[in-house]
Amino acid sequence: MPAQQKKILFCAAGVLSFACALGTAAAIGTQLWVKGTILCKTGALLVNATGQELEKFIGKIQYGLFYGERVRQCGLGGRPSQFSFFPDLLKIIPASIHVSVILFCTALLVFALVGAGFFMFNAFGSPYETLHGPVGLYLWSFIACSCGCLIMILFSSEVKIHHLSEKIANFKEGSFTFKTHSEQFANSFWIILVCSLVHFLNALLIRVAGFEFPFSKSKDSATTTGAVDLMY
């Protein structure tokens, strides 16, 4: 592939990596990871609410990695409140998983910036070390993509398997019991998914530029090695 086309591909990959870094930074700081509704089970059972009456007992909840807000409804209007994971909720959430999600988000941000820098370096400079060349670009893209996948897996397990929304809704609730009525992942979670796909796409762009995948041997070298073996 001509050098000019390689520069264009590397520039495009660098811009995409930088955009992913900005998106990850924005996602970390928002509370738009999960949105849902919570049902005041105790209040609904007390009045035997059914049909449209249940709407008076359905509140809202949304949260991110550090903070969130909830509106609890038990038949007498909404009671909005805000909460933070650190240090308020550490005793009721799977803290190890939650901290791991934050660490992998930080790693994704760092490696996205590193990848963007090296893509630009390879576009406008002359690679002089292995980690500045295509092997390094594969490495940064692979690490960033892996971090994104781990974030989604860990956070999904925290929400779905450990019932994070329900634990938050029942935090410091003595007389009322809340149950998750509905929940879905919000914008920030899908930004992480898009970033993972972008880093995977960057690895394909490196391959399109004409560089082989790391640890792969060309057919010519294999043929030459076989011919030498036959001589002995």
Side-chain angles (χ1 to χ4, degrees):
M1 178 177 288
Q4 189 65 27
Q5 294 183 16
K6 289 183 180 181
K7 286 186 177 181
I8 295 174
L9 286 176
F10 283 146
C11 284
V15 170
L16 288 174
S17 293
F18 185 72
C20 284
L22 294 179
T24 303
I28 293 173
T30 66
Q31 60 180 15
L32 299 177
W33 283 72
V34 174
K35 286 184 176 181
T37 57
I38 50 177
L39 172 65
C40 181
K41 187 177 179 181
T42 305
L45 289 175
L46 284 175
V47 299
N48 196 21
T50 57
Q52 293 183 350
E53 294 177 347
L54 279 176
E55 295 181 1
K56 297 180 180 180
F57 299 92
I58 296 177
K60 298 179 180 179
I61 186 172
Q62 67 175 19
Y63 55 89
L65 299 181
F66 295 97
Y67 62 97
E69 60 183 3
R70 58 185 176 179
V71 178
R72 293 163 291 181
Q73 294 206 97
C74 296
L76 299 175
R79 295 180 296 160
S81 62
Q82 295 184 344
F83 58 88
S84 60
F85 284 91
F86 304 99
D88 298 341
L89 301 175
L90 279 180
K91 294 181 179 180
I92 64 169
I93 66 171
S96 58
I97 297 179
H98 198 77
V99 172
S100 298
V101 171
I102 296 174
L103 291 177
F104 281 120
C105 282
T106 305
L108 175 59
L109 173 61
V110 171
F111 284 107
L113 289 174
V114 171
F118 279 113
F119 273 115
M120 290 301 181
F121 180 85
N122 279 271
F124 298 104
S126 299
Y128 56 89
E129 291 182 3
T130 301
L131 293 183
H132 289 141
V135 175
L137 298 180
Y138 281 122
L139 177 64
W140 311 130
S141 299
F142 174 76
I143 293 177
C145 183
S146 300
C147 288
C149 293
L150 288 172
I151 291 169
M152 291 184 293
I153 292 171
L154 290 174
F155 190 74
S156 298
S157 67
E158 186 179 9
V159 173
K160 298 298 183 180
I161 298 177
H162 294 275
H163 307 290
L164 184 61
S165 300
E166 211 163 277
K167 290 180 178 179
I168 294 173
N170 288 285
F171 178 62
K172 290 186 177 179
E173 287 291 340
S175 56
F176 291 96
T177 301
F178 291 87
K179 185 179 180 181
T180 303
H181 187 261
S182 67
E183 64 181 358
Q184 62 273 348
F185 295 108
N187 298 341
S188 295
F189 180 84
W190 300 118
I191 287 175
I192 300 298
L193 173 61
V194 171
C195 289
S196 302
L197 295 177
V198 166
H199 290 298
F200 180 76
L201 176 62
N202 283 347
L204 295 181
L205 286 179
I206 304 168
R207 184 66 186 90
V208 171
F211 295 109
E212 294 184 357
F213 289 109
F215 311 113
S216 63
K217 296 182 179 180
S218 62
K219 294 181 180 180
D220 295 337
S221 61
T223 305
T224 304
T225 304
V228 172
D229 292 339
L230 290 175
M231 295 175 62
Y232 295 93

